[in-house]
Amino acid sequence: MSEIFSRIAAMIVGSFLLGVGVNGFLVPHYLLDGGFIGIALLIQYYFQFPAGLCSALLSVPLIIYAWKKDRKQFHGSFYGMILTAVFIDVLAPYQFILPIGLSAILGGAICGIAVGLMLRYETSTAGTDLLAYFISKITPINIGILFVIIDGLIVLSGYQVLGLESVLFSTITILVAGSLASICYERF
């Protein structure tokens, strides 16, 4: 019973923190997170499509894969995906106006802690964090390094739309997020 409660609490707290990290710190400066949330933010910046809903739609193939390969991870990821999408879209109006460097660091720290916490309790946003989880289970590659590689590719894809400053500060965001996600997932 306490395991179920812990997973639910991690899912709720992690999803809420992602909503705060993304909207409070990244969106005001058009910064990107990695993963499907980063892709969703690119779509939001360019087409004004809600990032939470977009990230949930992008996650559907991984949710189907989780259903087939790891039912326990599927349940945590499916509900985590829904909660994260809701928190990202509901918290969209709440933004903090801070210097871009501080926003990149704080946004990355909050998002990294959120993802690491969720993965620690076998739940996720069903995005590339779930992909990194599955890859880390079958390879010796550290999950934090996987985050940085996947997220780096996504951030680089934003160069054409957002420009060099956004890419550079988004890189800081994903490095901080990947480091803290790894620490939260593996050490605590």
Side-chain angles (χ1 to χ4, degrees):
M1 185 61 130
S2 74
E3 181 183 334
I4 293 171
F5 177 75
S6 295
R7 284 186 81 206
I8 291 169
M11 189 183 320
I12 292 168
V13 170
S15 296
F16 175 78
L17 287 174
L18 276 166
V20 170
V22 166
N23 292 302
F25 300 98
L26 304 183
V27 170
H29 296 287
Y30 290 89
L31 298 177
L32 297 173
D33 190 10
F36 289 158
I37 293 173
I39 295 168
L41 285 171
L42 267 174
I43 293 168
Q44 175 180 312
Y45 298 152
Y46 198 71
F47 296 109
Q48 307 305 313
F49 192 80
L53 177 60
C54 185
S55 69
L57 294 173
L58 290 168
S59 298
V60 170
L62 277 174
I63 286 291
I64 293 168
Y65 181 80
W67 171 260
K68 292 178 180 179
K69 296 292 183 185
D70 188 339
R71 292 286 169 98
K72 186 175 183 182
Q73 189 63 259
F74 162 80
H75 291 292
S77 297
F78 178 76
Y79 298 118
M81 172 192 69
I82 300 295
L83 279 172
T84 299
V86 168
F87 278 122
I88 287 174
D89 287 346
V90 166
L91 297 174
Y94 302 100
Q95 300 177 3
F96 303 108
I97 307 304
L98 298 171
I100 191 169
L102 187 57
S103 288
I105 292 167
L106 290 174
I110 292 169
C111 290
I113 291 167
V115 169
L117 174 70
M118 292 175 79
L119 288 173
R120 178 81 178 152
Y121 289 93
E122 296 182 314
T123 183
S124 75
T125 64
T128 55
D129 50 344
L130 182 59
L131 178 62
Y133 170 81
F134 282 126
I135 293 171
S136 74
K137 291 293 182 189
I138 60 172
T139 69
I141 302 171
N142 176 285
I143 197 164
I145 291 173
L146 287 167
F147 285 142
V148 171
I149 291 169
I150 294 167
D151 294 350
L153 293 172
I154 291 165
V155 167
L156 283 174
S157 72
Y159 175 75
Q160 288 292 91
V161 175
L162 302 174
L164 183 60
E165 181 182 53
S166 178
V167 168
L168 291 176
F169 283 102
S170 295
T171 301
I172 292 169
T173 298
I174 63 164
L175 289 172
V176 170
S179 298
L180 287 174
S182 180
I183 289 167
C184 289
Y185 174 68
E186 293 179 356
R187 297 210 169 76
F188 295 108

